[in-house]
Amino acid sequence: MATVIITPQNDGPYHITGDFQINTQGGQPIAAGKNEVWLCRCGQSSHKPLCDGSHKKVGFSSNLDEKP
Ligand code: FES
């Protein structure tokens, strides 16, 4: 059984759930204590690596074949 689940959202971020840890390049924890985050993949978030909803403003298209 996976402890971390990564689910790409159609035209949006990666939804991460489970027992995970995300660090900055310098090793500082990001979103410590959380078991759910959304990671930006459109490149437009002002709060990277987390999604801030900017993907909607820029019309990001993920071109996923499968709709969630
Ligand atoms: S995916 Fe949401 S701001 Fe980039």
Side-chain angles (χ1 to χ4, degrees), residues 11-14 38-56 58 60:
D11 300 337
Y14 291 109
W38 288 262
L39 295 180
C40 176
R41 66 178 173 147
C42 75
Q44 300 302 311
S45 175
S46 60
H47 195 54
K48 294 180 187 86
L50 304 176
C51 172
D52 70 355
S54 293
H55 59 273
K56 294 177 187 169
V58 299
F60 173 68

